[in-house]
Structure formats: structure tokens, C-alpha cells
Amino acid sequence: MAEEVRLTELSVRGPGPPGCSEAPRASSRPRPAPRAPARPLSAARASPGPPLGPARGQSQPFSRVLGQVISDFDRTLSRFAYNGKQCPSSHNILDNSKVISEECQPELKALHKHYYPIEIDPRRTIEEKLPDMVEWWTKAHNLLCQQKIQKFQIAEVVRESNAMLREGYRTFFNTLYQNSVPLLIFSAGVGDVLEEIIRQKKVFHPNIHIVSNYMDFDKDGFLQGFQGQLIHTYNKNSSICKNSGYFQQLQGKTNVLLLGDTMGDLTMADGVPGVENILKIGFLNDKVEEQRESYMDAYDIVLEKDETLDVVNGLLQDILHREDGVGIHGS
């Protein structure tokens, strides 16, 4: 059996012995005590797969040296489902709102029905999926631009939606802010919508930087397009951030905690200069049996159908609390 990855130590360890077929389970010791009512704990699996980064296998501990957090938003920081019903992504929030005409809504749903199975198909390579993702996002954005959406409507649309962040979100956002840990949210969703969600939850702190598909409004406040390069599931990499200067401002913060829910999220830290260690946590939300193997190969920790941030918050508590006694904040 491969060497156990102990979350309470967070040492950077090498992969298990060759031929190991059983993935070790991550210790749940740092997990906060469950709140009432009690609920079953999700599985947290530690993968013996790809290296954490160039320094994997060295003796330097990951603890006490967390430089920054890089996270996806939709279905990573936000919930995938609640009470058995799928929660909306930032695109879905617009698609299902009153700002979209009755004629347009079926068209947007048809796009999702056609392209989403392609997006999560484990049998197709990322290269094979790229043209379909570009086509999906382009068609969806073009339809949105035909709807005469006004800037002031975004806040109202979010307020009336079923948008939900994962349980423990307040602890997550507040802990990073109060410990001065930069948080990059790298999203293929709609930037205006996800930013408004975070603002309405009252956790939009100055340490947050968002890279996403932001709307472009004309002088009268009507949506006329989207700013910058199109961001979809499988191009979230250094090509998007190379001109932003964000990572250059964080030189020296070379230990990264990465959170994602797709194979496309694995490249979000590609633009970090001089990266030493990356701990990758993957939320496996859908088609668990079909996708488990690929997630286990790609992520260091895989959380199956876990709608909380408990494991992540436990890790943060362990990393940050050891250094200076600063604990978990929020609820």
C-alpha cells in the first residue's frame, strides 16, 4: 500500500511504491467537528498520482509556508447540489433568470444538454474537447448578448437565484483574508455574476483577485460582449494570466493550494513563477464511478460528493494555526 498522506503533517511526500493499486485515504483528523444536525462525512482520498510539484519527494514540509490559494468557482467554491437537486452555475443563474427571454432559455438549455456530456467525458482527451468548449461558450455568450441585459440587473438576478456556496465558505474566505493569504479565483463562468454572489455573501475581501469572463457593457449599460480572451473549462492556464501581472506581484509565494472540480482546473497554477509545491484538491461531483480513476491520477486529494469546505478548512487550520496560533475564523 502507498504511503499514507497525513493531513495533520502536510509533509511533501513522494508517490507510493511502483505497482500500487490502492489509493491511501487522507486522515480526517484536522476536520472540524461536525455541526448539528450530524451528517455523514464524505470520502477524502489521497492520490498516489502525479507529483505535487518540482519539490515533491524532498523533506521540506508544506505546513507554515502556504503562499497562495488558487481556486475554481463554479461547483468548487459553490455547491454542485443541495437536497438532491443540482445548484446553478454562474452561467445557469443568468440562463434561468427573468432577463432571458422565453425563446432564448430553451436554446441555452439545449447547448448545455449537448456540450456538458462532452465536457465531463473521461474517454475524450482535453485536446479533443477544446473545439467543442470554444463553440459552447461562444454560442452561449452570443445568445446572452442578444438579451439586452443591463448592468444593474446582475445584482437582482443573483439575489433571486438559488446560488449557494459550499458549507463552510465563510470560514474559508475569512481565514484567508485574516491571515493575508492571496486568493485567486480562476473561473470559466461569468465574472460579474460570481463576484456578485461573493459580495452578497459578504465575504468579498481585498485579498481576492478574480480572472473570469467579465461582461462588457455599452455606455447605456447594456451587455454588448465579453471582455478579453474567452475562458472555458480547458484553457485555464498561463496563457490567460500572462499579461495580468498578478503572479509577478506574488513572487516568493511559491507554495500553492489549488482547488478544482475538473481536469481543466489542474493548470490554473501554470503561471506561478518559481513554484515549489502544489497541493491539488479535487471535488468529484458528478459521474463519480466513471471519473474516479482519472481524478485519483490527477489530484492529490479527491473529495467525492462533498458539498462542504470542511477538509479544506481543516487543512488551512493545520497550516496556518501551527505557525502563529491564528485559528479558524467565521462559521
Side-chain angles (χ1 to χ4, degrees):
M1 180 178 291
E3 181 179 15
E4 180 184 9
V5 179
R6 295 179 61 84
L7 302 189
T8 51
E9 295 175 2
L10 291 180
S11 294
V12 179
R13 301 174 182 267
C20 171
S21 60
E22 182 177 356
R25 293 181 181 274
S27 165
S28 60
R29 283 172 53 192
R31 190 185 185 95
R35 293 174 289 275
R39 54 178 176 76
L41 303 182
S42 64
R45 300 170 180 265
S47 169
L52 294 176
R56 180 166 182 155
Q58 298 181 9
S59 59
Q60 177 184 357
F62 192 84
S63 58
R64 301 191 297 277
V65 288
L66 175 61
Q68 56 182 300
V69 175
I70 301 175
S71 180
D72 174 48
F73 181 80
D74 287 317
R75 287 146 190 182
T76 296
L77 296 180
S78 69
R79 284 181 178 262
F80 176 76
Y82 181 69
N83 287 340
K85 185 176 181 181
Q86 192 164 314
C87 295
S89 67
S90 53
H91 273 104
N92 297 150
I93 287 171
L94 278 176
D95 297 352
N96 301 329
S97 73
K98 64 184 180 183
V99 300
I100 306 299
S101 68
E102 292 182 2
E103 294 77 22
C104 183
Q105 285 189 357
E107 294 184 65
L108 290 166
K109 289 178 181 178
L111 291 178
H112 185 273
K113 183 177 180 180
H114 175 73
Y115 289 105
Y116 178 66
I118 297 174
E119 179 187 23
I120 66 171
D121 186 351
R123 297 165 298 181
R124 303 193 193 201
T125 66
I126 289 177
E127 289 72 23
E128 290 172 332
K129 295 177 182 181
L130 284 174
D132 293 289
M133 297 302 100
V134 172
E135 190 173 75
W136 183 11
W137 261 255
T138 301
K139 287 180 177 180
H141 285 182
N142 287 342
L143 285 171
L144 291 177
C145 290
Q146 297 171 16
Q147 299 305 297
K148 297 183 179 179
I149 298 171
Q150 293 182 275
K151 188 172 184 178
F152 77 88
Q153 294 177 306
I154 301 301
E156 184 178 356
V157 163
V158 170
R159 199 156 34 242
E160 295 176 351
S161 74
N162 294 321
M164 297 183 71
L165 298 182
R166 290 184 185 270
E167 184 178 340
Y169 75 87
R170 194 173 302 279
T171 293
F172 172 78
F173 283 100
N174 289 349
T175 298
L176 294 180
Y177 171 56
Q178 293 169 10
N179 287 276
S180 302
V181 177
L183 169 60
L184 171 64
I185 297 176
F186 200 163
S187 173
V190 181
D192 309 74
V193 174
L194 67 88
E195 180 175 323
E196 185 61 30
I197 293 171
I198 300 171
R199 288 187 184 279
Q200 291 188 16
K201 298 296 184 182
K202 302 188 186 306
V203 288
F204 192 85
H205 301 307
N207 66 315
I208 296 174
H209 182 79
I210 298 175
V211 175
S212 187
N213 296 300
Y214 272 91
M215 294 173 158
D216 182 26
F217 296 94
D218 64 21
K219 60 182 178 62
D220 296 316
F222 288 94
L223 177 64
Q224 62 180 0
F226 283 80
Q227 303 173 29
Q229 184 177 343
L230 175 71
I231 304 175
H232 58 75
T233 304
Y234 295 112
N235 71 339
K236 296 164 71 173
N237 51 48
S238 57
S239 68
I240 301 294
C241 296
K242 62 183 178 182
N243 297 321
S244 72
Y246 174 77
F247 288 132
Q248 283 64 39
Q249 297 171 19
L250 299 178
Q251 293 220 18
K253 296 183 181 296
T254 54
N255 282 355
V256 179
L257 178 62
L258 182 146
L259 312 176
D261 75 310
T262 70
M263 293 296 107
D265 292 330
L266 293 162
T267 58
M268 293 189 297
D270 281 3
V272 179
V275 61
E276 293 182 6
N277 303 295
I278 303 178
L279 181 63
K280 299 176 181 179
I281 300 180
F283 290 87
L284 179 49
N285 300 309
D286 198 13
K287 308 293 183 185
V288 172
E289 296 298 327
E290 296 94 323
Q291 299 192 88
R292 177 180 291 130
E293 183 177 356
S294 60
Y295 273 64
M296 294 289 287
D297 287 341
Y299 284 97
D300 301 300
I301 297 173
V302 174
L303 305 177
E304 297 180 3
K305 290 189 175 294
D306 185 346
E307 295 296 340
T308 78
L309 288 168
D310 286 352
V311 170
V312 176
N313 287 335
L315 283 165
L316 291 176
Q317 182 180 38
D318 191 78
I319 294 168
L320 299 170
H321 184 65
R322 283 191 194 185
E323 181 176 16
D324 53 17
V326 177
I328 285 289
H329 304 267
S331 58

